[in-house]
Amino acid sequence: MAIAPGQPIPAISVKHVTEAGVADASTTDILGTGTVVMFTVPGAFTPTCHANHLPGYLLTAEDFKAAGVDKIVCATANDHHVVRAWAEATESLGRIDFIADGLAEFAKATGLDRDLTAGGLGTRFGRHALIIVDGVVHTVNTESAPGEVVESGAPAMLDALKAL
């Protein structure tokens, strides 16, 4: 069952990728303070994630800040080397933080995982977006169809912030 509004973010060890580099961290350290918008993607450099999902957040990063968001975080079940390369290639560092969940432990702990073994990808995150305030989930948006970025996209999350 997926994490739901009112539930705290579980403490899972991950790699935190920022403009300062890559560091070992707990998800509660990354997501536990302030207002955070976290979106989850199946994989770095994958078609929809790379061409549609991440770019929407990059284009609206200042809008999120103006709406009171302290941090935008992208979580993906890739190793930190791939995540760092993706962040650099998309010029995201400094605007978006990344969680590299190489073994999909955070994805599984939150119930936001998706089995993509049939496509050769193993366990990954599904496509979701959350609003988290001081470590507690307030909103969870989930895409209903693969390859879509509607409910978890930046415009939908900006609208959800207005409802808080």
Side-chain angles (χ1 to χ4, degrees), residues 51-67:
N52 191 354
H53 210 173
L54 177 62
Y57 283 93
L58 284 172
L59 291 172
T60 57
E62 291 303 315
D63 297 331
F64 279 101
K65 188 176 284 189

Side-chain angles (χ1 to χ4, degrees), residues 17 23 37 97 103 108 111 121 124 145-146:
V17 179
V37 171
D97 285 7
L103 299 175
K108 293 173 191 172
L121 298 174
R124 299 291 182 111

Side-chain angles (χ1 to χ4, degrees), residues 11-36:
I12 305 295
S13 294
V14 294
K15 298 286 188 183
H16 189 195
V17 179
T18 67
E19 63 186 331
V22 177
D24 291 325
S26 170
T27 52
T28 54
D29 294 336
I30 301 166
L31 306 168
T33 304
T35 300
V36 179

Side-chain angles (χ1 to χ4, degrees), residues 99-136:
I99 291 175
D101 183 26
L103 299 175
E105 291 175 350
F106 182 46
K108 293 173 191 172
T110 56
L112 301 176
D113 58 311
R114 186 164 172 221
D115 184 0
L116 296 175
T117 303
L121 298 174
T123 301
R124 299 291 182 111
F125 275 101
R127 197 173 304 285
H128 308 275
L130 292 77
I131 298 172
I132 304 161
V133 179
D134 293 328
V136 177

Side-chain angles (χ1 to χ4, degrees), residues 34-115:
T35 300
V36 179
V37 171
M38 179 181 77
F39 65 104
T40 66
V41 298
F45 293 110
T46 58
T48 302
C49 306
H50 186 71
N52 191 354
H53 210 173
L54 177 62
Y57 283 93
L58 284 172
L59 291 172
T60 57
E62 291 303 315
D63 297 331
F64 279 101
K65 188 176 284 189
V69 172
D70 298 297
K71 188 185 305 181
I72 300 170
V73 178
C74 176
T76 183
N78 291 108
D79 70 76
H80 63 279
H81 300 291
V82 169
V83 174
R84 178 76 183 185
W86 188 40
E88 290 172 350
T90 57
E91 299 179 359
S92 299
L93 296 172
R95 293 185 282 170
I96 296 176
D97 285 7
F98 292 82
I99 291 175
D101 183 26
L103 299 175
E105 291 175 350
F106 182 46
K108 293 173 191 172
T110 56
L112 301 176
D113 58 311
R114 186 164 172 221
D115 184 0

